[in-house]
Amino acid sequence: MCPDCRKHWEDAEKIMKGADALKEDVRTAMTTVDWDALSERIADAALARPKTSPSRAREFPGWPRAFIWKPAFAGVLGGLLIGASVTYFALRAPNAAPPADSEIHASGEFIDRAELSVAKRETLDYLSKSQSLLLDFVQASPEEAGRLLHDEAAAGRASDLLAKKRFMNSHLDDASIAKARGICDQIERLFVELSQISGDLSTAEAVKIQKYIEDKQLLLRIKLLRKELAESEV
Amino acid sequence: MTPEILPQAAGRVSPDVIEGLVRGIRSGDREAFVALTRLYQKKVFILAYSFFRNKEDAVDLVQDVFLRIYEKIDSFQEDRNFEAWLIQVAKNLCIDRYRKTRGRREMESGVRVDEIPLPDDRSPDAGRSSDLKAALARSVDRLAERQRTIFLMRHVNQMGNEEIARVLNISTGTVKSLHFKAIRKLRTLMEPHIGYQT
């Protein structure tokens, strides 16, 4: 890739990263809205208003609306259509060549590639943070692992990862990183389970979860996937 | 922080359920209207917030959208995709309101949005991601209307090209083309900032 293209690519990636930061703002704002109260308030306001009557277009479904509502407007529109058709046929070159493919198609692919690159980096970041959290859990004694769930920092990391996964879901549909979806989904399910446990985790339960992580070879699979994604990025 | 951020569930609701809710609303069933609002209010909020970056304006817009939907529900044609119709109404109201608030901002400050400088890219703090976000937000304001709408729908609302094309009633190719132009324009607008970061 030439230096100019590389620069262009990197800039596009940064812009899309910036857009991710905008999403973070939305996410924060959404947590401060009382959604149930909002829908009730809207319903109250709506029921206090009259509904508009069904349009005449529904009475005459086959008729263009302009002809039903505004005959003058329809006349002008008809005139314009006839004028445009006449102009088109009068000026059309007899053997006009089909338009060449514009650069936009190639550029669209370029942006798609840049998006994919951002998605890979997001996935790598998610895997790296998940690996770190799971390692803390697996390497702790069962008693410590049980307490870890109630550690504020660890719980914050887990809920951040759950939120991040939500935002990543659309990226993971891309065929070239579809392999990551399976393991990311598995990690997500584990974090969801852990986040739903209230009270202290018993030693037996902690051991069971540690064993699950080991049996599924989650840490090894994360490591291999990270390596694979990192290599495909080069 | 709750993981329930994006209204993914709304996308999975079957057309039959939506049809039932629409019929319920037409016959004056309040609960049907509340249910429909709950299904889609977050999606509308995300779109509105991406336009205004202000919670109060976004909430007001959510209210306006659903009131409009309620008023117009009788004219909704059942062979249409309800969600596409709803987002189209939301998009139109966002653009109307955006034009008004943009005009108001310009009147209050005495300068056009286009003339407001981006953050000083060469300040000691310029490399921070919050600066990149602020610069991007200001640059998005400078995009042409359709480019801005498509950029926000794609990157903040996480809508696919086909979905955007359906809502805006244009071809997927046009969506891709306008998206590319938006990125190219943003790159130009943010060049000093991005350049400093590398």
Side-chain angles (χ1 to χ4, degrees), chain A residues 4 7-12 14-27 29-33 35-47 49-55 57-58 61 65 103-105 107-108 110-112 115 159-160 162-163 166-171, chain B residues 1-8 25-28 30-31 33-34 37-38 41-42 45-46 49-50 53 55 59 62-63 66-68 70-77 129 132-133 136-137 140 151-152 154-156 158 161 173 176-177 179-181 183-184 186-187 190-191 194-195 197-198:
Chain A
D4 275 354
K7 175 80 173 64
H8 186 100
W9 182 312
E10 286 169 358
D11 289 352
K14 279 179 190 157
I15 288 165
M16 285 185 267
K17 274 231 161 239
D20 283 345
L22 293 180
K23 276 189 285 193
E24 285 296 315
D25 284 355
V26 182
R27 195 155 59 99
M30 285 176 80
T31 58
T32 63
V33 177
W35 296 105
D36 289 342
L38 178 62
S39 54
E40 294 289 341
R41 203 166 64 231
I42 293 172
D44 289 342
L47 290 168
R49 289 175 166 213
K51 274 195 284 186
T52 53
S53 58
S55 72
R58 292 184 73 218
R65 282 166 184 238
E103 61 166 354
I104 296 304
H105 294 293
S107 302
F110 178 84
I111 295 296
D112 287 345
E115 276 191 338
S159 63
D160 283 351
L162 280 171
R166 282 280 177 139
F167 279 110
M168 283 167 50
N169 279 340
S170 59
H171 295 314
Chain B
M1 187 185 300
T2 166
E4 291 298 325
I5 301 299
L6 282 176
Q8 307 280 359
I25 296 168
R26 280 179 177 158
S27 61
R30 183 183 186 279
E31 290 314 305
F33 182 62
V34 170
T37 305
R38 283 189 180 158
Q41 58 186 356
K42 288 183 184 175
F45 180 88
I46 294 171
Y49 192 93
S50 66
R53 290 187 297 284
K55 182 188 140 191
V59 168
V62 171
Q63 180 154 336
F66 285 98
L67 289 177
R68 180 68 60 90
Y70 184 79
E71 284 172 6
K72 302 282 180 189
I73 198 76
D74 285 335
S75 62
F76 171 65
Q77 292 159 327
S129 64
L132 177 66
K133 188 168 71 180
L136 178 67
V140 169
F151 181 83
L152 294 174
R154 179 100 180 252
H155 293 285
V156 183
Q158 296 180 283
N161 288 333
K176 283 187 177 178
S177 158
H179 177 246
F180 171 69
K181 285 177 183 166
I183 296 281
R184 194 172 54 185
L186 287 173
R187 183 179 177 250
M190 295 180 67
E191 193 152 33
I194 290 173
Q197 280 211 322
T198 45

Side-chain angles (χ1 to χ4, degrees), chain B residues 146-165:
Chain B
R146 288 207 304 175
Q147 289 176 21
R148 183 175 57 246
T149 304
I150 287 170
F151 181 83
L152 294 174
M153 283 182 163
R154 179 100 180 252
H155 293 285
V156 183
N157 264 57
Q158 296 180 283
M159 290 165 69
N161 288 333
E162 289 77 14
E163 193 180 359
I164 296 173

Side-chain angles (χ1 to χ4, degrees), chain A residues 8-232:
Chain A
H8 186 100
W9 182 312
E10 286 169 358
D11 289 352
E13 275 192 10
K14 279 179 190 157
I15 288 165
M16 285 185 267
K17 274 231 161 239
D20 283 345
L22 293 180
K23 276 189 285 193
E24 285 296 315
D25 284 355
V26 182
R27 195 155 59 99
T28 309
M30 285 176 80
T31 58
T32 63
V33 177
D34 183 344
W35 296 105
D36 289 342
L38 178 62
S39 54
E40 294 289 341
R41 203 166 64 231
I42 293 172
D44 289 342
L47 290 168
R49 289 175 166 213
K51 274 195 284 186
T52 53
S53 58
S55 72
R56 289 181 63 199
R58 292 184 73 218
E59 293 166 32
F60 307 97
W63 292 40
R65 282 166 184 238
F67 284 96
I68 295 166
W69 286 348
K70 296 174 182 171
F73 172 69
V76 171
L77 186 67
L80 281 173
L81 279 173
I82 292 166
S85 309
V86 169
T87 310
Y88 171 76
F89 285 111
L91 299 180
R92 189 174 60 155
N95 292 314
D101 279 348
S102 71
E103 61 166 354
I104 296 304
H105 294 293
S107 302
E109 284 169 22
F110 178 84
I111 295 296
D112 287 345
R113 286 210 308 276
E115 276 191 338
L116 179 60
S117 175
V118 172
K120 279 183 181 169
R121 286 185 196 178
E122 286 291 310
T123 310
L124 271 171
D125 184 54
Y126 176 79
L127 289 171
S128 164
K129 286 176 178 163
S130 301
Q131 187 182 26
S132 155
L133 188 57
L134 291 176
L135 259 178
D136 286 350
F137 190 81
V138 169
Q139 287 177 345
S141 69
E143 293 78 19
E144 283 171 344
R147 282 196 297 274
L148 192 66
L149 284 180
H150 296 287
D151 176 71
E152 205 172 304
R157 281 159 71 196
S159 63
D160 283 351
L161 284 167
L162 280 171
K164 188 178 177 71
K165 171 67 170 49
R166 282 280 177 139
F167 279 110
M168 283 167 50
N169 279 340
S170 59
H171 295 314
L172 291 171
D173 288 335
D174 191 290
S176 60
I177 51 169
K179 199 174 168 185
R181 178 176 268 284
I183 190 159
C184 289
D185 285 349
Q186 212 164 6
I187 295 168
E188 183 188 28
R189 278 197 296 274
L190 184 61
F191 287 151
V192 169
E193 292 281 332
L194 291 175
S195 69
Q196 285 170 351
I197 294 171
S198 57
D200 276 344
L201 196 63
S202 71
T203 306
E205 284 170 326
V207 169
K208 196 173 158 189
I209 294 170
Q210 285 175 329
K211 191 165 180 315
Y212 172 85
I213 295 169
E214 281 165 15
D215 287 350
K216 296 280 178 191
Q217 296 186 303
L218 268 182
L219 289 166
L220 176 66
R221 285 165 60 206
I222 290 173
K223 190 177 164 187
L224 291 173
L225 188 58
R226 279 181 63 192
K227 197 175 166 202
E228 199 176 309
L229 284 174
E231 279 170 359
S232 71

